Amino acid sequence: MDGLFIVMVGALVAAAVYLLLARDLPRVLIGFVLLGTGVNLAILAAGRVGAMVPPLVPPGSSALPDVVANPLPQALILTAIVIGFGLTAFALMLVVKVYARFRTVAADDLTEAEGAATPAAATLASQTPLTRQEAA
Amino acid sequence: MNPSLILRTSAPLLLWMPLVVSLYVLVRGHNDPGGGFIGGLIAAGGVLFYAIARGPAAARAVLRLSPVALCGLGVLVATASGIPALLTPETPYLTHFWWFPTLGVTLPLGTALVFDLGVYLTVLGMASALFCALVEEAQ
Amino acid sequence: MHSLIAAPILVPLVAAAVTAMLWRQPGLQRVIGLAAAALLLVVAVALLVETASGRILVAQMGNWAAPFGITLAIDLFSAIMLVITGLMALAVAIYACGPGAAERDRAGFQPLFHSLILGVCGSFCTGDLFNLYVWFEVMLIASFGLLVLDRTDEQLDGGVRYVVLNLIGTTVFLLAVGLLYGLTGTLSLADLARVAPTVENQAALGAVGMLLLVAFGAKAAVFPLFNWLPAAYHTASMPVAAIFAALLTKVGVYAIIRVFTLIFAHDMAVFGPILAVVAAATMITGVFGAAMHYDIRKILSFHIISQIGYMLIGVALMTPLALAGSVLYIVHHIIVKANLFLIAGAMRAEAGSFALKRIGGLWVAAPALGLLFLVPALSLAGIPPLSGFWGKLVVIRAGLEAEAYLLAGIALAVGLLTLYSMIKIWNEAFWKAAPAPAPAAPWTRREQVATYAPIVVLAGLTLTIGVWTEPFAALSLTAAHGLLDRTAYIEAVLGAASLQLAAPLLSDGGTL
């Protein structure tokens, strides 16, 4: 079982790193989602995968049965999923807004933040509208 | 985007189904899988459906409170659920209390349910705000 | 007592919730925001008084016993950080009533601002590593919202860079938390401090330490993980940039100090040199980055980076004096850096631009601002008798005592280069003649007061720390001793009996 988890985590993280290195913002975002999934699986594996019984107290009893899955990693992962959901949602909104504003999602074409900060960047920034028209 | 007449007409009906289910899941969360977070998401799913069918403005109107205000209200409710614990010096903040009043059937009530209700409202507000913004952006 | 421990979290939480509900009434929001910030400062000072003797306040949230539930533990270091957070929250809340307040509040500044403070305070209060992760995320999401508040082109672009790099950093943190749990079976900081030295697989623990260093380092903007900071900070509106500059990176530094004094203190032979190299490289890159820029905000952003290096020296050397230096330096730096950003905002309001090439003549136009600029600017460079001098003195003295001569030398040289950048701003903005007549600033009287009041108070504090250093230094030293006394922390959280218990809770702990 552990072996399977290791392979899965490895595959997910490898795919995630590949996507994170892309110049396209949506790809980067998908990469982040995959990375989060890989890390969540790693947490599950770190809590020892063994028992398949859900950690629920049966009706009429006041304690967990002896053999149950470790509830703590599940709680951690649930929290991490919630947080990941929020972060992904925000990043998605940002990418949508960026696309609506600049009509591009290529990281290379985004140079607004550098504009006018340094003399060199200022000249670059003045050229960008041209590049953007060419791209369109 | 132009949703069909059937979708637009059935939207109010289809909004209530997830809302009822979400309340069931919220209450069930006390001892079984379920709870405020997943309940809130199910309810927000209904709102998302409504926003697609009739537009984000109509979805916001159906919530009465603005999504952000709903979120704030949820946080306040959840925060308030911990206050009874502050009344006694031995119990730190967020210690929960339970009552089992018997009115024909025994009802398991407690401050934890209030906390869950706060989570429900927060998630509903947050997810609705997000969905409405995304639908708006798409249109 | 219990209620007071949770108060630094509850105050901003309730403030954020209430201001979110009042999103149609910006005026009322602002009043509530100011009141909450003031209340936070009061609460934090009360906590500082409680902990000043070195006492550690502990509360188990929800009454779940220590290693299992979420613990809030406030020691002197936490309390100092909370006071400075309250102070910054109040200063920036007042400053945010200045120019542009109406638009900012309509965009949702108040709820986001208090959520940010909530995340910061939560990070300083918590005694649980996973809980720290949660507070980091609260802070992160709020900072995302604040950064792109005005939705300008450059903010959206800067926001993308900030978001992407921070998302990766936070995932690394999560991975480290998971692996640490796998190794030790616990995530309570006190329990980790107890168990960490007994973990069999020290190599794996070292790897986790490295992951944590990367995650917190990315947050603190240390070399080589600082790129997101100068790419994003200068795009934010001025109150936002000021609170970011004051608090965000310092939470990363706090986390590094907390985790490395508690969990990896037995492994400093490995981490000490790494941290020392990182500290030196951070100081140098930051100061050279600042030297090449001609935009006030960019210069100040790079100086945040260079100053982070000084704070890390304390952890790298791990002696009481060095850690005291770090604490003192953090306090001094937060006040000074936030003030410089506030002043930059005022300069922009007076002269019309942040670009040094386009402005000038401010010494004639606004001599008071010039004097107010000199206080934090010279303090940042470490000129006596200002607060920065004492911060640098303690850090460098600790470096010399620990025979880290190279590190101490770099710290001195970087101070000199900092002076160069500050003089550059002075020459260009204040001294040289204005290249074009500055547009008359359309200020109202109230806006002017809101802008200048926090600047004057913070400059006054810088002078106070500089002239009357004794109590601040003594407090820092007590805090440093508290940081190094792990047993006291473990006892306060878990009880004295826990120290005798055999180590890991998981029977197969350490096989990962």
Side-chain angles (χ1 to χ4, degrees):
Chain A
M1 201 61 183
D2 276 347
L4 186 63
F5 268 87
I6 291 166
V7 172
M8 273 159 62
V9 171
L12 279 169
V13 171
V17 169
Y18 176 73
L19 285 169
L20 283 171
L21 294 175
R23 280 145 201 261
D24 245 22
L25 292 177
R27 279 170 177 251
V28 173
L29 200 58
I30 298 172
F32 169 70
V33 174
L34 287 186
L35 189 64
T37 314
V39 168
N40 284 340
L41 280 180
I43 295 177
L44 194 64
R48 309 293 185 271
V49 187
M52 291 295 167
V53 186
L56 291 173
V57 180
S61 157
S62 63
L64 283 174
D66 283 342
V67 184
V68 289
N70 186 350
L72 198 122
Q74 300 189 16
L76 299 189
I77 292 169
L78 183 63
T79 316
I81 288 174
V82 172
I83 291 171
F85 168 73
L87 292 176
T88 313
F90 181 89
L92 183 64
M93 274 308 293
L94 189 65
V95 172
V96 169
K97 280 248 186 283
V98 163
Y99 182 72
R101 187 75 62 89
F102 306 121
R103 289 285 142 196
T104 178
V105 284
D108 286 352
D109 292 349
L110 296 174
T111 48
E112 296 298 329
E114 259 137 53
T118 58
T123 44
L124 261 181
S126 64
Q127 287 163 359
T128 29
L130 269 180
T131 356
R132 230 172 258 144
Q133 275 167 9
E134 282 160 15
Chain B
M1 217 152 75
N2 201 359
S4 76
L5 180 67
I6 300 172
L7 188 63
R8 269 178 291 152
T9 317
S10 57
L13 207 69
L14 288 173
L15 171 65
W16 286 109
M17 287 202 313
L19 283 186
V20 172
V21 174
S22 74
L23 285 178
Y24 168 70
V25 171
L26 165 71
V27 178
R28 177 186 138 95
H30 189 64
N31 269 334
D32 287 296
F37 180 74
I38 193 69
L41 271 188
I42 293 172
V47 175
L48 169 64
F49 181 74
Y50 199 85
I52 290 173
R54 294 201 167 185
R60 287 205 187 95
V62 93
L63 281 173
R64 313 276 179 210
L65 278 176
S66 98
V68 180
L70 206 60
C71 211
L73 180 68
V75 171
L76 279 186
V77 169
T79 315
S81 78
I83 290 177
L86 293 179
L87 299 180
T88 58
E90 307 86 60
T91 47
Y93 184 67
L94 278 180
T95 307
H96 289 295
F97 300 97
W98 282 268
W99 297 276
F100 298 93
T102 313
L103 307 160
V105 286
T106 306
L107 291 173
L109 296 177
T111 48
L113 186 65
V114 180
F115 186 84
D116 244 4
L117 187 68
V119 175
Y120 176 92
L121 291 174
T122 310
V123 172
L124 174 60
M126 198 52 110
S128 303
L130 187 81
F131 290 156
C132 287
L134 276 175
V135 171
E136 227 156 48
E137 205 67 48
Q139 278 169 355
Chain C
M1 199 62 255
H2 290 309
S3 50
L4 198 55
I5 298 180
I9 295 173
L10 285 177
V11 170
L13 180 68
V14 171
V18 171
T19 48
M21 288 184 70
L22 294 172
W23 66 291
R24 276 180 208 282
Q25 286 133 293
L28 199 54
Q29 275 190 26
R30 220 168 300 159
V31 174
I32 294 174
L34 283 170
L39 185 60
L40 179 64
L41 182 59
V42 171
V43 166
V45 170
L47 283 167
L48 183 68
V49 171
E50 287 284 333
T51 51
S53 59
R55 209 174 125 210
I56 301 172
L57 305 173
V58 177
Q60 314 292 348
M61 288 299 95
N63 220 0
W64 297 94
F68 307 109
I70 291 170
T71 309
L72 297 188
I74 299 179
D75 64 355
L76 183 53
F77 182 41
S78 300
I80 292 175
M81 298 303 287
L82 284 171
V83 170
I84 205 85
T85 305
L87 190 69
M88 286 305 125
L90 188 58
V92 174
I94 295 172
Y95 187 82
C97 298
E103 298 84 47
R104 259 197 306 275
D105 284 346
R106 262 198 297 282
F109 172 76
Q110 295 287 349
L112 286 169
F113 176 71
H114 286 283
S115 306
L116 183 82
I117 301 295
L118 167 70
V120 173
C121 287
S123 308
F124 292 153
C125 289
T126 189
D128 183 280
L129 197 60
F130 191 77
N131 199 228
L132 184 66
Y133 167 77
V134 175
W135 291 124
F136 264 49
E137 301 310 305
V138 170
M139 197 169 72
L140 196 60
I141 292 181
S143 69
F144 287 171
L146 283 173
L147 189 62
V148 296
L149 201 64
D150 307 329
R151 309 275 189 282
T152 62
D153 284 2
E154 55 167 22
Q155 282 189 357
L156 285 181
D157 180 18
V160 167
R161 295 149 195 253
Y162 179 79
V163 167
V164 169
L165 291 169
N166 273 292
L167 285 183
I168 298 172
T170 142
T171 315
V172 171
F173 186 8
L174 184 62
L175 180 63
V177 168
L179 294 181
L180 197 56
Y181 175 73
L183 276 173
T184 59
T186 180
L187 287 174
S188 155
L189 285 178
D191 210 24
L192 281 169
R194 186 177 67 86
V195 169
T198 63
V199 169
E200 234 175 87
N201 194 345
Q202 283 294 331
L205 194 68
V208 170
M210 216 41 225
L211 278 177
L212 283 176
L213 186 58
V214 168
F216 297 150
K219 192 97 253 179
V222 302
F223 181 87
L225 304 162
F226 59 84
N227 288 305
W228 58 270
L229 194 150
Y233 269 27
H234 66 284
T235 65
S237 61
M238 252 14 238
V240 173
I243 200 76
F244 279 17
L247 297 176
L248 285 197
T249 45
K250 262 54 78 180
V251 178
V253 175
Y254 170 88
I256 290 177
I257 292 179
R258 182 63 79 198
V259 162
F260 280 87
T261 51
L262 274 179
I263 308 177
F264 299 101
H266 64 286
D267 217 5
M268 281 321 277
V270 177
F271 285 110
I274 296 177
L275 279 163
V277 171
V278 166
T282 306
M283 285 189 283
I284 295 171
T285 352
V287 88
F288 278 125
M292 69 164 271
H293 276 286
Y294 272 90
D295 179 299
I296 304 173
R297 297 166 302 174
K298 279 240 168 190
I299 296 173
L300 294 180
S301 298
F302 270 105
H303 271 299
I304 300 177
I305 301 169
S306 95
Q307 308 285 315
I308 296 290
Y310 286 94
M311 301 170 201
L312 287 186
I313 293 178
V315 208
L317 300 178
M318 206 57 108
T319 60
L321 189 66
L323 272 173
S326 286
V327 176
L328 190 62
Y329 208 94
I330 291 175
V331 172
H332 136 76
H333 171 82
I334 289 179
I335 296 173
V336 160
K337 182 55 77 178
N339 204 8
L340 280 172
F341 269 90
L342 297 181
I343 290 170
M347 284 164 70
R348 145 81 177 254
E350 299 276 8
S353 175
F354 287 116
L356 286 177
K357 292 288 177 203
R358 287 191 206 133
I359 61 175
L362 270 175
W363 179 241
V364 181
L369 191 62
L371 283 179
L372 285 171
F373 169 78
L374 279 183
V375 173
L378 295 181
S379 177
L380 193 73
I383 305 292
L386 296 160
S387 61
F389 169 71
W390 299 106
K392 284 200 170 66
L393 181 75
V394 177
V395 168
I396 290 167
R397 165 102 187 267
L400 294 178
E401 270 182 21
E403 296 179 355
Y405 298 117
L406 187 61
L407 204 55
I410 291 174
L412 272 175
V414 167
L416 212 61
L417 283 166
T418 309
L419 192 59
Y420 162 72
S421 287
M422 291 302 120
I423 289 178
K424 183 165 75 184
I425 297 182
W426 171 260
N427 277 345
E428 296 280 342
F430 290 94
W431 206 241
K432 82 165 186 237
W443 300 54
T444 63
R445 187 88 199 132
R446 247 177 78 188
E447 283 177 343
Q448 220 162 358
V449 172
T451 304
Y452 276 98
I455 294 177
V456 171
V457 170
L458 293 184
L461 262 174
T462 308
L463 280 171
T464 312
I465 298 181
V467 177
W468 193 44
T469 325
E470 196 77 14
F472 296 95
L475 216 54
S476 304
L477 203 58
T478 319
H481 280 293
L483 279 171
L484 288 171
D485 188 2
R486 298 188 305 141
T487 355
Y489 191 90
I490 297 170
E491 267 184 25
V493 176
L494 297 172
S498 67
L499 286 168
Q500 273 87 52
L501 286 179
L505 291 170
L506 278 188
S507 51
D508 57 343
T511 56
L512 191 76

